[in-house]
Amino acid sequence: MKKTSLIMVAAAILILGTIISPGTVRAKAIEEEITVTPVRTITPEEESIISSSAVKVLRHIAQARADIHAKDLKHAGGELKQALTLLDIIKAALPADKVKDHIWVAKKHLSYENTEEVVPDMIPIYASLDEIEDIVPVSKAREHINKARKNLKRGNKKGATEELELADESLIYAEVDLPLDYTRKHIAGAQAFLAKNDPEKADEALNTAEDGVRFVAVDIYSPVTQARKSLLKASRDYTAGKLTAVKKDLKEAKISLKKATKTVDAKTRTGVKKLLKAIEAVEGKVDKGAKETGRDIKGVYEQAKALTLKAVDMFHTSR
């Protein structure tokens, strides 16, 4: 069983390496302005890997709990190690992790290079932020990166470092990151209890850990999450002048939201209905091709993003 699980882990790593591609970047006069081209949303393939890996984590946790009840604590420990390995794979599939890596590189360069030499490090950071805007709130991170770049140009190494650190911290509130951190924390707690030969508390910790990874496995395919993705695509298609595609995107968003009204709680349902009305209001403006309509579509997308993030907040605060 262990050998099979390790093979699955290795296969997942290979798959991840083939589907996560770098963003396309256009830089005009690095010293003056950095411009990036939005590249993509999280792909269906990545969704599948995140969700299926989360389910495998659940299996390892369930097996560990079964081992605990069978008093096979050694095997339970092995299952938890494999669960943590899979959590690392899920995290590696998230573009947010790439942004953090780029920020880390910039901070490291600042420790031994002058500020002007670090300015080019901002390019991949901006590009990576564009990649993750559909699953992570990035406005605060962008503000800090903008300030970091200004400090770099002014030769303010300390100020740039502080802003980079703040940017890094602002990227932790994602639909997947938060539940995964929650899960990892409780798996680590279970490992500690096993080390102390306290299987009862280890089992309790794992029971709690299951909630976080179950949230990841299910929420990534939730109707509200899918509607948000359609609205992001609508915003980008409108910017590109693809009006027929925009209409299709908005229609798909409405279909997802109508499904959501049948499954979400009462409070979320109110938000979903408001979102449906907002989409209907903007649908009739698409053919005009006005800039205001583009802003309206982006606004509707922001509403959808806020709605999905509320689900994360509800999960986190209820724990």
Side-chain angles (χ1 to χ4, degrees), residues 271-292:
V272 168
K273 289 181 177 179
K274 288 181 179 178
L275 197 53
L276 276 167
K277 288 182 179 179
I279 293 174
E280 289 170 356
V282 81
E283 276 183 312
K285 304 176 184 178
V286 172
D287 286 326
K288 296 179 181 179
K291 288 184 179 180
E292 291 78 7

Side-chain angles (χ1 to χ4, degrees), residues 2 60 63-81 190-203 206:
K2 290 183 179 179
H60 285 300
Q63 182 60 53
R65 295 186 68 192
D67 291 337
I68 288 171
H69 286 278
K71 303 188 185 305
D72 189 351
L73 303 190
K74 183 178 180 180
H75 194 270
E79 291 292 334
L80 295 185
K81 285 182 180 179
Q191 288 179 317
F193 286 128
L194 287 178
K196 295 177 182 178
N197 198 30
D198 191 341
E200 185 175 340
K201 287 187 177 179
D203 184 57
L206 292 177

Side-chain angles (χ1 to χ4, degrees), residues 2 28 41 55 70 72 88 102 117 127 155 174 181 198 244 260 266 308:
K2 290 183 179 179
K28 292 183 179 179
T41 64
V55 172
D72 189 351
D88 288 338
H102 287 310
E117 292 175 325
D181 288 343
D198 191 341
T244 300
T308 56

Side-chain angles (χ1 to χ4, degrees), residues 126-283:
Y126 278 110
S128 297
L129 285 174
D130 274 349
E131 287 187 7
I132 66 171
E133 66 179 352
D134 63 322
I135 58 171
V136 184
V138 299
S139 57
K140 288 185 179 179
R142 277 204 182 97
E143 288 178 12
H144 291 303
I145 295 302
N146 288 338
K147 291 178 181 178
R149 186 165 68 92
K150 289 179 181 178
N151 281 320
L152 289 174
K153 293 174 70 175
R154 294 169 182 164
N156 184 352
K157 182 176 288 192
K158 181 181 178 182
T161 301
E162 290 175 352
E163 292 299 336
L164 287 171
E165 289 174 351
L166 289 170
D168 184 74
E169 291 172 5
S170 72
L171 291 169
I172 65 170
Y173 299 104
E175 283 99 316
V176 180
D177 277 332
L178 203 58
L180 285 188
D181 288 343
Y182 174 89
T183 300
R184 179 179 291 279
K185 173 184 174 182
H186 287 286
I187 290 178
Q191 288 179 317
F193 286 128
L194 287 178
K196 295 177 182 178
N197 198 30
D198 191 341
E200 185 175 340
K201 287 187 177 179
D203 184 57
E204 290 176 3
L206 292 177
N207 184 36
T208 305
E210 287 179 334
D211 292 339
V213 73
R214 190 178 290 114
F215 182 92
V216 172
V218 174
D219 185 70
I220 199 166
Y221 288 122
S222 73
V224 176
T225 298
Q226 295 305 310
R228 184 200 61 201
K229 287 169 63 66
S230 295
L231 289 169
L232 177 64
K233 188 173 182 298
S235 179
R236 290 179 173 176
D237 283 339
Y238 193 85
T239 301
K242 301 176 181 178
L243 302 187
T244 300
V246 173
K247 293 177 183 178
K248 181 174 180 290
D249 298 332
L250 294 176
K251 183 178 179 180
E252 289 176 350
K254 286 172 62 178
I255 291 172
S256 295
L257 290 173
K258 286 176 181 177
K259 289 180 181 178
T261 60
K262 301 175 183 178
T263 59
V264 298
D265 60 273
K267 188 175 182 180
T268 305
R269 189 178 299 114
T270 299
V272 168
K273 289 181 177 179
K274 288 181 179 178
L275 197 53
L276 276 167
K277 288 182 179 179
I279 293 174
E280 289 170 356
V282 81
E283 276 183 312

